[in-house]
Amino acid sequence: MKLTQTATQVHSPSSQLHQRWEAYVSDQYKLSALSLLAQLWLSHSLFLTDRVSTPSYLSMLLILAPASALYLWTLLLSRQVKKDTGILTALLPRMLGRGLEWLIALSLLTDAVFLLCGVSSLLGDILPTLRHYLIAPLIALFAASSLMRNQPFALIRLAGFLFFPLLAGITLSSASALQEGSAAHFFPLLGKGASSICMGTVWLCGNLGSICLPLLMPGEEAALRRMRQKGKRRGMLALLACMLFSALISAMYTYLLSPYALSDAASVGMRLLMPVQISSSIPGWSLYVCALILLLLIAYSGSVSRCAAFFSGHCTKEKHAPDWLIAIVILFTVPCAVFYSHRLQNLLIDLLPYRIIPYLISLLFTSAGAAFQWIKARKQA
Amino acid sequence: MKKMICLLLCMLLFTGCASHGTEEQMMVVLLGIDRTDDGSVKVIVKAPSFSGNSDPSSPSSGDGYLTLTASAHSFSAALTLLHATSPRNLNYSQTRQILLNQDVLRDDPNIIHTLGQISGMRSQTTLSICKDPAEDVMKAEKPVIGTRLSRYIDTTLETGIREGFIPDSTLIRVLTHQGGGYQDALIALTGLSLQDQQNQQQQQQAAPVFNQSTQHTAGNMPTVSGKAIQWMGSAALNGNLLTGYLSGFETMLCHFLTKNIGSMSFETPHGVLSCTPRYGPYLSLHHDGDAYTLCIRADLNVLPIYGASVDLAEADKSLTLVITQLLHTLQSLRSDALGFGRIAVRNYLTLDAWESSRWKEQYIRAQTDVDIRLTLVNE
């Protein structure tokens, strides 16, 4: 037996390439999954808690249907691409494809603004002595220093590395507060009514942009297809796990808090920290706060990085967005978080559901492009 | 990225000590609120002075703790005045107990909500109601065992809660109950023991022993108990209104029926029995048209203690009567402290339907049905 030889031939250049692709695709999905979890969690605190009340977890479960449909649609389109470029530019005329990429980048910019407002509100409530206007620039500086100089790939790798520890940390820390909850808080089962649950689901659909991840992937070359498929399968599980996890988080809030506990006046940060207020476990809430901050920071940095990638048209592994573009995207996200107020929060609530529209428009155009190419190929055959 | 995140988390962990030194702030251990004779609100805080100089001639720093007070027409104004006049920033993150005089709560039912809004207030602080002036109770509150007042209060409260004579009335728990509408909160009752009251020329009658047939609340306790402050019984709330008091035994019975404690002592004419549940206790609601019946079922093991003889039929009858009386007392106080509302809410699909059902009105008018079965256990 050769103890020094590994079971797989990792030293072979092709195996190394395959494994890297597999890990890259899987990590991209995990970053999307964490981003989705962070956005759903923020959405729960911003909108669902007071407008849907007790059955917010039902709204979270119901978005599984549109999310699955959206994912399958995107996946189907990605299989039509044979070139090593982004889907939009591969299936559509270049100018139109780039235009749609810009549209998606705007949606990602709104994601980043939303996440930055959430994380700065959270930090503002944790550190009341820190001047409010300093928090958002500090986070932006942190994101800039961690993303520039070819670091977006490090972020993707970090998301893959921290995926399970983060979920485990949130679960463990929340467990300490569960003894303070009550199953009676799940009643009345429909809360403010079935219409409010459906309204919550529709509102949450704005967060489903992360589901359209295959739009980020370059076209599939035959040699690497198998390895990418393996990465996709693992990534799909991560996406599903995070959507179910967000439903569990909603259920946890319902279990811990009575329907009347959250008022309109509470900030997003205060609402995120509600389980901490209830829990008597100091290690538990410390872990909860750390895990939550990490999750939001990774999601924010991921949104900034992807936004810059879509603006520059560099959505592939080999290329990355230029530093100056990342800096500009970050600068655009900061003012909203610095001047965050109740009025601005209401504006965000009105705006956020529309983030899904660029994706839907892109998918519609791309479907038309794919159908056109298929007809053209058939005619030629 | 990893390094940056580690650095950021470390910065977050160290900010507390970096921005606020121990001697740059006052860590409030006790917060008291009183109503003065002229109708204004008096706020009293007790905080460690962190000073080696314990001058016995100084009334404020004799025991290593500094007591600050401020009075104004409202609680908010008094608190603002207190913050303005205190030598350091007041920090409530280590507050162990809030003593609320009953008159203050009766005059301002929203004061508990206001307390929850104080910046940095510890959510696990125990809220207590006192019939005596809160300032007198705070003066008498000293660590009889150990040296730290905060640890002494924590441990004494834990013991009281474990025994069942006082409810677990942390600020967040009371606020959750008040906000929820499914169950009313019970708040721990604190007061001066009789000896201490006599020292202060407050003549009150003492009860000879503790049993369920007498109303034992804080301030109405045996003369010699080893400590000046007593935690015993509870104040019953209807929403945020103070409606009355439960004795130590009634509070323990509430705890036992809601499964917060695993055993209960019960006195019969022949001696004291220890009751532990075999099944239950189960609370349920029977719904017949518009009328509800509050039902309690329990199958209990009873163990005679201190050599008591047992007449099971008599004990059964006596315990059933006591529980029925407790239910009637709670109904008369309009306080759903046992949480029948948690069961009632399951019958409704939407919050609108629940709110329009006017559960509390139905609760007050509800019939009671108590079914207790006892089984004798010999060690």
Side-chain angles (χ1 to χ4, degrees), chain A residues 129 145-146 155 158 180 182 187-188 190-191 259-260 277-278 294 297, chain B residues 1-2 4-5 8 20 123-124 173 179-180 182 342 349-351 355:
Chain A
T129 49
S145 56
S146 57
L155 172 75
L158 182 73
E180 307 286 341
S182 165
F187 298 95
L190 294 184
Y260 308 100
Q277 296 278 323
I278 287 172
L294 259 182
L297 284 178
Chain B
M1 182 78 179
K2 280 183 208 168
M4 292 298 292
I5 282 179
L8 186 86
H20 297 291
S123 60
Q124 299 293 327
R173 192 174 279 252
Y182 299 159
R342 290 165 180 253
L349 266 182
T350 62
L351 281 168
E355 282 161 12

PDB file of all heavy atoms in Angstrom, chain A residues 129 145-146 155 158 180 182 187-188 190-191 259-260 277-278 294 297, chain B residues 1-2 4-5 8 20 123-124 173 179-180 182 342 349-351 355:
ATOM      1  N   THR A 129     -22.867  54.038  21.494  1.00  0.00           N
ATOM      2  CA  THR A 129     -21.979  55.190  21.687  1.00  0.00           C
ATOM      3  C   THR A 129     -21.236  55.571  20.402  1.00  0.00           C
ATOM      4  O   THR A 129     -20.721  56.676  20.296  1.00  0.00           O
ATOM      5  CB  THR A 129     -20.939  54.890  22.780  1.00  0.00           C
ATOM      6  OG1 THR A 129     -20.354  53.627  22.509  1.00  0.00           O
ATOM      7  CG2 THR A 129     -21.581  54.863  24.158  1.00  0.00           C
ATOM      8  N   SER A 145     -11.762  47.189   1.448  1.00  0.00           N
ATOM      9  CA  SER A 145     -10.429  46.608   1.669  1.00  0.00           C
ATOM     10  C   SER A 145     -10.443  45.092   1.516  1.00  0.00           C
ATOM     11  O   SER A 145      -9.420  44.483   1.211  1.00  0.00           O
ATOM     12  CB  SER A 145      -9.910  46.994   3.055  1.00  0.00           C
ATOM     13  OG  SER A 145     -10.837  46.593   4.019  1.00  0.00           O
ATOM     14  N   SER A 146     -11.606  44.489   1.716  1.00  0.00           N
ATOM     15  CA  SER A 146     -11.640  43.028   1.578  1.00  0.00           C
ATOM     16  C   SER A 146     -11.962  42.574   0.160  1.00  0.00           C
ATOM     17  O   SER A 146     -11.787  41.409  -0.172  1.00  0.00           O
ATOM     18  CB  SER A 146     -12.648  42.436   2.559  1.00  0.00           C
ATOM     19  OG  SER A 146     -13.910  42.987   2.340  1.00  0.00           O
ATOM     20  N   LEU A 155     -13.583  36.068  -1.220  1.00  0.00           N
ATOM     21  CA  LEU A 155     -14.902  36.172  -0.578  1.00  0.00           C
ATOM     22  C   LEU A 155     -15.749  34.941  -0.902  1.00  0.00           C
ATOM     23  O   LEU A 155     -16.414  34.376  -0.023  1.00  0.00           O
ATOM     24  CB  LEU A 155     -15.604  37.437  -1.069  1.00  0.00           C
ATOM     25  CG  LEU A 155     -17.054  37.587  -0.635  1.00  0.00           C
ATOM     26  CD1 LEU A 155     -17.143  37.992   0.817  1.00  0.00           C
ATOM     27  CD2 LEU A 155     -17.790  38.591  -1.495  1.00  0.00           C
ATOM     28  N   LEU A 158     -14.474  32.145   1.071  1.00  0.00           N
ATOM     29  CA  LEU A 158     -14.828  32.310   2.485  1.00  0.00           C
ATOM     30  C   LEU A 158     -16.291  31.924   2.735  1.00  0.00           C
ATOM     31  O   LEU A 158     -16.620  31.300   3.753  1.00  0.00           O
ATOM     32  CB  LEU A 158     -14.608  33.765   2.908  1.00  0.00           C
ATOM     33  CG  LEU A 158     -14.894  34.061   4.371  1.00  0.00           C
ATOM     34  CD1 LEU A 158     -13.811  33.482   5.269  1.00  0.00           C
ATOM     35  CD2 LEU A 158     -15.022  35.546   4.618  1.00  0.00           C
ATOM     36  N   GLU A 180     -37.542  30.471  26.533  1.00  0.00           N
ATOM     37  CA  GLU A 180     -38.381  31.611  26.905  1.00  0.00           C
ATOM     38  C   GLU A 180     -39.625  31.726  26.025  1.00  0.00           C
ATOM     39  O   GLU A 180     -40.476  32.566  26.270  1.00  0.00           O
ATOM     40  CB  GLU A 180     -37.576  32.919  26.780  1.00  0.00           C
ATOM     41  CG  GLU A 180     -36.253  32.929  27.513  1.00  0.00           C
ATOM     42  CD  GLU A 180     -36.419  33.054  29.008  1.00  0.00           C
ATOM     43  OE1 GLU A 180     -37.489  33.480  29.440  1.00  0.00           O
ATOM     44  OE2 GLU A 180     -35.473  32.676  29.738  1.00  0.00           O
ATOM     45  N   SER A 182     -43.068  30.332  23.587  1.00  0.00           N
ATOM     46  CA  SER A 182     -44.311  29.614  23.861  1.00  0.00           C
ATOM     47  C   SER A 182     -44.951  29.200  22.540  1.00  0.00           C
ATOM     48  O   SER A 182     -45.002  29.992  21.588  1.00  0.00           O
ATOM     49  CB  SER A 182     -45.266  30.518  24.628  1.00  0.00           C
ATOM     50  OG  SER A 182     -46.560  29.981  24.590  1.00  0.00           O
ATOM     51  N   PHE A 187     -50.423  30.914  17.434  1.00  0.00           N
ATOM     52  CA  PHE A 187     -51.854  31.107  17.217  1.00  0.00           C
ATOM     53  C   PHE A 187     -52.198  32.584  17.349  1.00  0.00           C
ATOM     54  O   PHE A 187     -51.538  33.296  18.099  1.00  0.00           O
ATOM     55  CB  PHE A 187     -52.641  30.287  18.240  1.00  0.00           C
ATOM     56  CG  PHE A 187     -52.389  28.813  18.096  1.00  0.00           C
ATOM     57  CD1 PHE A 187     -51.422  28.181  18.866  1.00  0.00           C
ATOM     58  CD2 PHE A 187     -53.092  28.069  17.170  1.00  0.00           C
ATOM     59  CE1 PHE A 187     -51.170  26.829  18.731  1.00  0.00           C
ATOM     60  CE2 PHE A 187     -52.848  26.706  17.039  1.00  0.00           C
ATOM     61  CZ  PHE A 187     -51.889  26.086  17.818  1.00  0.00           C
ATOM     62  N   PRO A 188     -53.223  33.051  16.687  1.00  0.00           N
ATOM     63  CA  PRO A 188     -54.045  32.420  15.662  1.00  0.00           C
ATOM     64  C   PRO A 188     -53.201  32.029  14.449  1.00  0.00           C
ATOM     65  O   PRO A 188     -52.320  32.802  14.044  1.00  0.00           O
ATOM     66  CB  PRO A 188     -55.038  33.500  15.284  1.00  0.00           C
ATOM     67  CG  PRO A 188     -54.986  34.495  16.379  1.00  0.00           C
ATOM     68  CD  PRO A 188     -53.622  34.445  16.947  1.00  0.00           C
ATOM     69  N   LEU A 190     -53.540  31.957  11.274  1.00  0.00           N
ATOM     70  CA  LEU A 190     -53.443  32.797  10.069  1.00  0.00           C
ATOM     71  C   LEU A 190     -53.075  34.251  10.385  1.00  0.00           C
ATOM     72  O   LEU A 190     -53.058  35.086   9.482  1.00  0.00           O
ATOM     73  CB  LEU A 190     -54.751  32.748   9.277  1.00  0.00           C
ATOM     74  CG  LEU A 190     -55.116  31.392   8.661  1.00  0.00           C
ATOM     75  CD1 LEU A 190     -56.380  31.511   7.833  1.00  0.00           C
ATOM     76  CD2 LEU A 190     -53.990  30.850   7.783  1.00  0.00           C
ATOM     77  N   GLY A 191     -52.812  34.553  11.640  1.00  0.00           N
ATOM     78  CA  GLY A 191     -52.371  35.907  12.003  1.00  0.00           C
ATOM     79  C   GLY A 191     -53.328  36.977  11.518  1.00  0.00           C
ATOM     80  O   GLY A 191     -54.483  36.998  11.919  1.00  0.00           O
ATOM     81  N   PRO A 259     -47.625  38.207  19.027  1.00  0.00           N
ATOM     82  CA  PRO A 259     -47.943  38.944  17.794  1.00  0.00           C
ATOM     83  C   PRO A 259     -47.862  40.455  17.963  1.00  0.00           C
ATOM     84  O   PRO A 259     -47.674  41.178  17.007  1.00  0.00           O
ATOM     85  CB  PRO A 259     -49.375  38.530  17.492  1.00  0.00           C
ATOM     86  CG  PRO A 259     -49.682  37.394  18.347  1.00  0.00           C
ATOM     87  CD  PRO A 259     -48.696  37.320  19.450  1.00  0.00           C
ATOM     88  N   TYR A 260     -48.012  40.921  19.208  1.00  0.00           N
ATOM     89  CA  TYR A 260     -48.051  42.376  19.414  1.00  0.00           C
ATOM     90  C   TYR A 260     -46.708  42.925  19.903  1.00  0.00           C
ATOM     91  O   TYR A 260     -46.609  44.103  20.234  1.00  0.00           O
ATOM     92  CB  TYR A 260     -49.135  42.719  20.431  1.00  0.00           C
ATOM     93  CG  TYR A 260     -50.475  42.119  20.096  1.00  0.00           C
ATOM     94  CD1 TYR A 260     -50.910  40.961  20.728  1.00  0.00           C
ATOM     95  CD2 TYR A 260     -51.295  42.687  19.129  1.00  0.00           C
ATOM     96  CE1 TYR A 260     -52.140  40.394  20.418  1.00  0.00           C
ATOM     97  CE2 TYR A 260     -52.522  42.125  18.814  1.00  0.00           C
ATOM     98  CZ  TYR A 260     -52.941  40.981  19.461  1.00  0.00           C
ATOM     99  OH  TYR A 260     -54.149  40.425  19.144  1.00  0.00           O
ATOM    100  N   GLN A 277     -32.572  39.959  23.350  1.00  0.00           N
ATOM    101  CA  GLN A 277     -33.214  40.596  24.506  1.00  0.00           C
ATOM    102  C   GLN A 277     -33.890  39.549  25.387  1.00  0.00           C
ATOM    103  O   GLN A 277     -33.910  39.663  26.599  1.00  0.00           O
ATOM    104  CB  GLN A 277     -34.281  41.584  24.011  1.00  0.00           C
ATOM    105  CG  GLN A 277     -33.737  42.743  23.219  1.00  0.00           C
ATOM    106  CD  GLN A 277     -33.227  43.836  24.118  1.00  0.00           C
ATOM    107  OE1 GLN A 277     -33.795  44.088  25.148  1.00  0.00           O
ATOM    108  NE2 GLN A 277     -32.144  44.466  23.732  1.00  0.00           N
ATOM    109  N   ILE A 278     -34.453  38.555  24.750  1.00  0.00           N
ATOM    110  CA  ILE A 278     -35.220  37.558  25.490  1.00  0.00           C
ATOM    111  C   ILE A 278     -34.302  36.538  26.151  1.00  0.00           C
ATOM    112  O   ILE A 278     -34.534  36.109  27.272  1.00  0.00           O
ATOM    113  CB  ILE A 278     -36.211  36.869  24.527  1.00  0.00           C
ATOM    114  CG1 ILE A 278     -37.330  37.851  24.213  1.00  0.00           C
ATOM    115  CG2 ILE A 278     -36.770  35.596  25.125  1.00  0.00           C
ATOM    116  CD1 ILE A 278     -38.263  37.398  23.161  1.00  0.00           C
ATOM    117  N   LEU A 294     -21.497  38.572  10.850  1.00  0.00           N
ATOM    118  CA  LEU A 294     -20.706  37.911   9.800  1.00  0.00           C
ATOM    119  C   LEU A 294     -21.560  37.636   8.571  1.00  0.00           C
ATOM    120  O   LEU A 294     -21.150  37.884   7.436  1.00  0.00           O
ATOM    121  CB  LEU A 294     -20.170  36.587  10.335  1.00  0.00           C
ATOM    122  CG  LEU A 294     -18.731  36.543  10.786  1.00  0.00           C
ATOM    123  CD1 LEU A 294     -18.356  35.163  11.235  1.00  0.00           C
ATOM    124  CD2 LEU A 294     -17.812  36.983   9.650  1.00  0.00           C
ATOM    125  N   LEU A 297     -22.313  40.850   6.731  1.00  0.00           N
ATOM    126  CA  LEU A 297     -21.117  41.401   6.070  1.00  0.00           C
ATOM    127  C   LEU A 297     -20.778  40.607   4.808  1.00  0.00           C
ATOM    128  O   LEU A 297     -20.452  41.191   3.762  1.00  0.00           O
ATOM    129  CB  LEU A 297     -19.925  41.368   7.030  1.00  0.00           C
ATOM    130  CG  LEU A 297     -19.901  42.427   8.129  1.00  0.00           C
ATOM    131  CD1 LEU A 297     -18.689  42.241   9.012  1.00  0.00           C
ATOM    132  CD2 LEU A 297     -19.897  43.828   7.526  1.00  0.00           C
TER     133      LEU A 297
ATOM    134  N   MET B   1      -9.653  38.697   3.643  1.00  0.00           N
ATOM    135  CA  MET B   1     -11.036  38.783   4.107  1.00  0.00           C
ATOM    136  C   MET B   1     -11.185  38.182   5.505  1.00  0.00           C
ATOM    137  O   MET B   1     -11.794  38.766   6.388  1.00  0.00           O
ATOM    138  CB  MET B   1     -11.910  38.042   3.089  1.00  0.00           C
ATOM    139  CG  MET B   1     -13.389  38.069   3.398  1.00  0.00           C
ATOM    140  SD  MET B   1     -14.129  39.627   2.945  1.00  0.00           S
ATOM    141  CE  MET B   1     -15.827  39.346   3.388  1.00  0.00           C
ATOM    142  N   LYS B   2     -10.583  36.979   5.687  1.00  0.00           N
ATOM    143  CA  LYS B   2     -10.692  36.303   6.986  1.00  0.00           C
ATOM    144  C   LYS B   2     -10.058  37.175   8.072  1.00  0.00           C
ATOM    145  O   LYS B   2     -10.617  37.344   9.153  1.00  0.00           O
ATOM    146  CB  LYS B   2      -9.976  34.951   6.935  1.00  0.00           C
ATOM    147  CG  LYS B   2     -10.783  33.852   6.273  1.00  0.00           C
ATOM    148  CD  LYS B   2     -10.016  32.540   6.344  1.00  0.00           C
ATOM    149  CE  LYS B   2     -10.399  31.657   5.189  1.00  0.00           C
ATOM    150  NZ  LYS B   2      -9.513  30.511   5.037  1.00  0.00           N
ATOM    151  N   MET B   4      -9.605  40.373   8.037  1.00  0.00           N
ATOM    152  CA  MET B   4     -10.408  41.574   8.255  1.00  0.00           C
ATOM    153  C   MET B   4     -11.582  41.260   9.185  1.00  0.00           C
ATOM    154  O   MET B   4     -11.907  42.034  10.077  1.00  0.00           O
ATOM    155  CB  MET B   4     -10.943  42.105   6.915  1.00  0.00           C
ATOM    156  CG  MET B   4      -9.895  42.649   5.994  1.00  0.00           C
ATOM    157  SD  MET B   4      -9.011  44.050   6.671  1.00  0.00           S
ATOM    158  CE  MET B   4     -10.301  45.259   6.699  1.00  0.00           C
ATOM    159  N   ILE B   5     -12.220  40.118   8.938  1.00  0.00           N
ATOM    160  CA  ILE B   5     -13.389  39.755   9.744  1.00  0.00           C
ATOM    161  C   ILE B   5     -12.969  39.503  11.189  1.00  0.00           C
ATOM    162  O   ILE B   5     -13.626  39.962  12.124  1.00  0.00           O
ATOM    163  CB  ILE B   5     -14.094  38.530   9.132  1.00  0.00           C
ATOM    164  CG1 ILE B   5     -14.918  38.994   7.931  1.00  0.00           C
ATOM    165  CG2 ILE B   5     -14.997  37.840  10.146  1.00  0.00           C
ATOM    166  CD1 ILE B   5     -15.647  37.921   7.202  1.00  0.00           C
ATOM    167  N   LEU B   8     -12.368  42.832  12.827  1.00  0.00           N
ATOM    168  CA  LEU B   8     -13.614  43.550  13.089  1.00  0.00           C
ATOM    169  C   LEU B   8     -14.311  42.975  14.319  1.00  0.00           C
ATOM    170  O   LEU B   8     -14.797  43.714  15.173  1.00  0.00           O
ATOM    171  CB  LEU B   8     -14.531  43.450  11.879  1.00  0.00           C
ATOM    172  CG  LEU B   8     -15.792  44.299  11.998  1.00  0.00           C
ATOM    173  CD1 LEU B   8     -15.528  45.710  11.533  1.00  0.00           C
ATOM    174  CD2 LEU B   8     -16.921  43.706  11.206  1.00  0.00           C
ATOM    175  N   HIS B  20     -15.583  52.907  27.809  1.00  0.00           N
ATOM    176  CA  HIS B  20     -16.089  53.214  29.154  1.00  0.00           C
ATOM    177  C   HIS B  20     -15.282  52.471  30.202  1.00  0.00           C
ATOM    178  O   HIS B  20     -15.445  51.269  30.360  1.00  0.00           O
ATOM    179  CB  HIS B  20     -17.553  52.789  29.273  1.00  0.00           C
ATOM    180  CG  HIS B  20     -18.462  53.526  28.354  1.00  0.00           C
ATOM    181  ND1 HIS B  20     -18.746  54.847  28.511  1.00  0.00           N
ATOM    182  CD2 HIS B  20     -19.131  53.120  27.264  1.00  0.00           C
ATOM    183  CE1 HIS B  20     -19.560  55.232  27.549  1.00  0.00           C
ATOM    184  NE2 HIS B  20     -19.810  54.204  26.778  1.00  0.00           N
ATOM    185  N   SER B 123     -32.438  43.399  30.142  1.00  0.00           N
ATOM    186  CA  SER B 123     -33.778  42.830  29.970  1.00  0.00           C
ATOM    187  C   SER B 123     -34.080  41.751  31.002  1.00  0.00           C
ATOM    188  O   SER B 123     -35.229  41.441  31.264  1.00  0.00           O
ATOM    189  CB  SER B 123     -33.924  42.255  28.565  1.00  0.00           C
ATOM    190  OG  SER B 123     -32.965  41.252  28.361  1.00  0.00           O
ATOM    191  N   GLN B 124     -33.030  41.171  31.604  1.00  0.00           N
ATOM    192  CA  GLN B 124     -33.238  40.111  32.585  1.00  0.00           C
ATOM    193  C   GLN B 124     -33.342  40.646  34.018  1.00  0.00           C
ATOM    194  O   GLN B 124     -33.345  39.873  34.968  1.00  0.00           O
ATOM    195  CB  GLN B 124     -32.090  39.094  32.505  1.00  0.00           C
ATOM    196  CG  GLN B 124     -31.953  38.406  31.161  1.00  0.00           C
ATOM    197  CD  GLN B 124     -33.130  37.502  30.850  1.00  0.00           C
ATOM    198  OE1 GLN B 124     -33.715  36.907  31.742  1.00  0.00           O
ATOM    199  NE2 GLN B 124     -33.495  37.406  29.577  1.00  0.00           N
ATOM    200  N   ARG B 173     -39.894  39.339  30.525  1.00  0.00           N
ATOM    201  CA  ARG B 173     -41.008  38.383  30.644  1.00  0.00           C
ATOM    202  C   ARG B 173     -42.324  39.135  30.909  1.00  0.00           C
ATOM    203  O   ARG B 173     -43.353  38.834  30.298  1.00  0.00           O
ATOM    204  CB  ARG B 173     -40.715  37.401  31.782  1.00  0.00           C
ATOM    205  CG  ARG B 173     -41.644  36.213  31.818  1.00  0.00           C
ATOM    206  CD  ARG B 173     -41.176  35.249  32.884  1.00  0.00           C
ATOM    207  NE  ARG B 173     -40.102  34.414  32.421  1.00  0.00           N
ATOM    208  CZ  ARG B 173     -40.245  33.117  32.150  1.00  0.00           C
ATOM    209  NH1 ARG B 173     -41.415  32.551  32.312  1.00  0.00           N
ATOM    210  NH2 ARG B 173     -39.228  32.405  31.741  1.00  0.00           N
ATOM    211  N   GLY B 179     -47.511  42.515  26.382  1.00  0.00           N
ATOM    212  CA  GLY B 179     -47.699  42.746  24.945  1.00  0.00           C
ATOM    213  C   GLY B 179     -48.486  41.645  24.287  1.00  0.00           C
ATOM    214  O   GLY B 179     -49.163  41.859  23.284  1.00  0.00           O
ATOM    215  N   GLY B 180     -48.405  40.432  24.833  1.00  0.00           N
ATOM    216  CA  GLY B 180     -48.999  39.270  24.169  1.00  0.00           C
ATOM    217  C   GLY B 180     -50.499  39.211  24.264  1.00  0.00           C
ATOM    218  O   GLY B 180     -51.184  38.966  23.271  1.00  0.00           O
ATOM    219  N   TYR B 182     -52.095  36.946  25.852  1.00  0.00           N
ATOM    220  CA  TYR B 182     -52.536  35.557  26.034  1.00  0.00           C
ATOM    221  C   TYR B 182     -52.456  35.138  27.501  1.00  0.00           C
ATOM    222  O   TYR B 182     -53.049  34.151  27.891  1.00  0.00           O
ATOM    223  CB  TYR B 182     -51.660  34.601  25.232  1.00  0.00           C
ATOM    224  CG  TYR B 182     -51.674  34.812  23.746  1.00  0.00           C
ATOM    225  CD1 TYR B 182     -50.635  34.331  22.952  1.00  0.00           C
ATOM    226  CD2 TYR B 182     -52.723  35.469  23.115  1.00  0.00           C
ATOM    227  CE1 TYR B 182     -50.648  34.504  21.579  1.00  0.00           C
ATOM    228  CE2 TYR B 182     -52.732  35.656  21.752  1.00  0.00           C
ATOM    229  CZ  TYR B 182     -51.687  35.175  20.990  1.00  0.00           C
ATOM    230  OH  TYR B 182     -51.699  35.359  19.646  1.00  0.00           O
ATOM    231  N   ARG B 342     -53.888  31.251  26.409  1.00  0.00           N
ATOM    232  CA  ARG B 342     -53.037  30.519  25.456  1.00  0.00           C
ATOM    233  C   ARG B 342     -53.801  29.353  24.836  1.00  0.00           C
ATOM    234  O   ARG B 342     -53.527  28.953  23.711  1.00  0.00           O
ATOM    235  CB  ARG B 342     -51.809  29.950  26.166  1.00  0.00           C
ATOM    236  CG  ARG B 342     -50.819  30.978  26.604  1.00  0.00           C
ATOM    237  CD  ARG B 342     -49.856  30.359  27.595  1.00  0.00           C
ATOM    238  NE  ARG B 342     -48.886  31.330  28.034  1.00  0.00           N
ATOM    239  CZ  ARG B 342     -47.608  31.333  27.663  1.00  0.00           C
ATOM    240  NH1 ARG B 342     -47.161  30.395  26.877  1.00  0.00           N
ATOM    241  NH2 ARG B 342     -46.797  32.259  28.084  1.00  0.00           N
ATOM    242  N   LEU B 349     -58.803  31.732  14.151  1.00  0.00           N
ATOM    243  CA  LEU B 349     -57.895  31.653  12.998  1.00  0.00           C
ATOM    244  C   LEU B 349     -57.130  32.940  12.768  1.00  0.00           C
ATOM    245  O   LEU B 349     -55.994  32.918  12.305  1.00  0.00           O
ATOM    246  CB  LEU B 349     -58.693  31.308  11.743  1.00  0.00           C
ATOM    247  CG  LEU B 349     -58.767  29.823  11.370  1.00  0.00           C
ATOM    248  CD1 LEU B 349     -59.540  29.638  10.091  1.00  0.00           C
ATOM    249  CD2 LEU B 349     -57.371  29.204  11.239  1.00  0.00           C
ATOM    250  N   THR B 350     -57.771  34.056  13.068  1.00  0.00           N
ATOM    251  CA  THR B 350     -57.089  35.333  12.801  1.00  0.00           C
ATOM    252  C   THR B 350     -57.061  36.197  14.061  1.00  0.00           C
ATOM    253  O   THR B 350     -57.870  36.008  14.973  1.00  0.00           O
ATOM    254  CB  THR B 350     -57.801  36.129  11.685  1.00  0.00           C
ATOM    255  OG1 THR B 350     -59.120  36.414  12.136  1.00  0.00           O
ATOM    256  CG2 THR B 350     -57.860  35.369  10.384  1.00  0.00           C
ATOM    257  N   LEU B 351     -56.142  37.142  14.050  1.00  0.00           N
ATOM    258  CA  LEU B 351     -56.014  38.042  15.197  1.00  0.00           C
ATOM    259  C   LEU B 351     -57.271  38.897  15.377  1.00  0.00           C
ATOM    260  O   LEU B 351     -57.673  39.195  16.500  1.00  0.00           O
ATOM    261  CB  LEU B 351     -54.800  38.956  15.006  1.00  0.00           C
ATOM    262  CG  LEU B 351     -53.439  38.330  15.312  1.00  0.00           C
ATOM    263  CD1 LEU B 351     -52.325  39.223  14.814  1.00  0.00           C
ATOM    264  CD2 LEU B 351     -53.269  38.075  16.797  1.00  0.00           C
ATOM    265  N   GLU B 355     -59.304  39.165  18.771  1.00  0.00           N
ATOM    266  CA  GLU B 355     -59.517  40.432  19.473  1.00  0.00           C
ATOM    267  C   GLU B 355     -60.998  40.722  19.678  1.00  0.00           C
ATOM    268  O   GLU B 355     -61.401  41.245  20.718  1.00  0.00           O
ATOM    269  CB  GLU B 355     -58.857  41.579  18.684  1.00  0.00           C
ATOM    270  CG  GLU B 355     -57.344  41.611  18.889  1.00  0.00           C
ATOM    271  CD  GLU B 355     -56.619  42.390  17.812  1.00  0.00           C
ATOM    272  OE1 GLU B 355     -57.268  43.095  17.025  1.00  0.00           O
ATOM    273  OE2 GLU B 355     -55.379  42.274  17.746  1.00  0.00           O
TER     274      GLU B 355
END
